[in-house]
Amino acid sequence: MNMNPKNLGFSRRRMLAVTTFRSVGMSAAVLWGGFGASLAQSAEQREKNRPITPQDFGAVGDGVADDSNAFKSLAAKPGVYIRVPQGRYLIKDTISILERQVWQFENAELVHEGKGAMFQALNVNDWAMLGVARLLGAGAGTAAQSPANVGLLIGTCRRYRVSNLQFSRFTGVGLLLAGNTVYLNPRGDRGQFSDLGFTECARAIEVQASAASEYNVFTNTAITACGDGVVVAAGNCQFVGGNVVDCKIGVTLVPGLNHGHGGFHGFNLNHASEYNLVATAIETGFTFNGCHFYGDGGLKGAIFLRNCKGILIQGGQVDCAVINDGKAGKNFLLNNTVAGPSFKIVSNSGDTAGVICRNAMRFDGADACK
């Protein structure tokens, strides 16, 4: 038989095409089989790695049912990504944050009933709480009440971030930083706090006298209608940009670790019913740079410095009285502007010379220091 391809109606080109097609088809089948297995594996992996939610553990999120156990089960494993969908969650217990957890809140509201902390992170590192979320206590107004509850308690942690949370109606403290008093080196890897808001808390932020509470950074902080705005007893904390307005006392500096030794930058400290700033026995200084102090006349909303030295208020606007008591050392008002009639330097102990005032310029060009 003549097996010449021409006699069979095939050209060399057609034979090559058929052979190539068969080869490609076989390769495609092999590839598709592998791709299908890859898809199945990816789906399994995605299910394993997907964010877990309170609903996975039975949370209702209606603001009536107690979701405490669901949140405790949710938070029981370190290193997980936790997503909290929109809802109103009632929490009657304390939820502990573990190492390397990321909490992502999606316009969630969490209501805390009971004493103690709603959330706490103790001796854990590399975690985050990211909003949008509203944390609500059981109180109202600006006075401390019993039982005292706390929105978020942080103690002796490293490399963590808290962002875009709103704290309201806590009878103790909205955000409390505590922890070990032993120096932890390196020292600069503490917390980053951004875009936090506080309303109607007995105390909005408290930074206790602890080495673990040093070197925290707060940006874009809004505090209003609280008893105490910010209380600082640990050194080297920086507050950059924000408001402390319509509180009983705006900022309180108390003796502790490094006796202050930090700063507020670009803050409005206005309309306190008692004092915009109270500093007591600060020995290593504190800086208020580019801040606006506004009192409502007389000594209401005054800056009150008691036995302090090295308090520096510069480059801002001071429209309130400054009270300086005690003879610990010198404090400084430098290069500020003065808009209204409330600015004056007074003392209950006769120590007005304890304040060095330079270039407090009124709008007409007069130096209010003189």
Side-chain angles (χ1 to χ4, degrees), residues 246-250 270-276 294 296 300-301:
D246 292 321
C247 296
K248 183 178 179 181
I249 297 177
N270 301 160
H271 300 292
S273 61
E274 289 191 7
Y275 301 106
N276 285 317
Y294 186 88
D296 290 329
K300 191 173 183 180

Side-chain angles (χ1 to χ4, degrees), residues 123-127 156-160 183-191:
N123 300 289
V124 293
N125 304 321
D126 302 295
W127 55 270
T156 315
C157 297
R158 294 177 180 271
R159 300 178 301 276
Y160 57 93
Y183 283 106
L184 302 176
N185 292 315
R187 307 183 196 196
D189 60 355
R190 300 302 189 264

Side-chain angles (χ1 to χ4, degrees), residues 267-285:
F267 255 76
N268 290 310
L269 299 167
N270 301 160
H271 300 292
S273 61
E274 289 191 7
Y275 301 106
N276 285 317
L277 166 64
V278 176
T280 302
I282 302 301
E283 297 181 357
T284 57

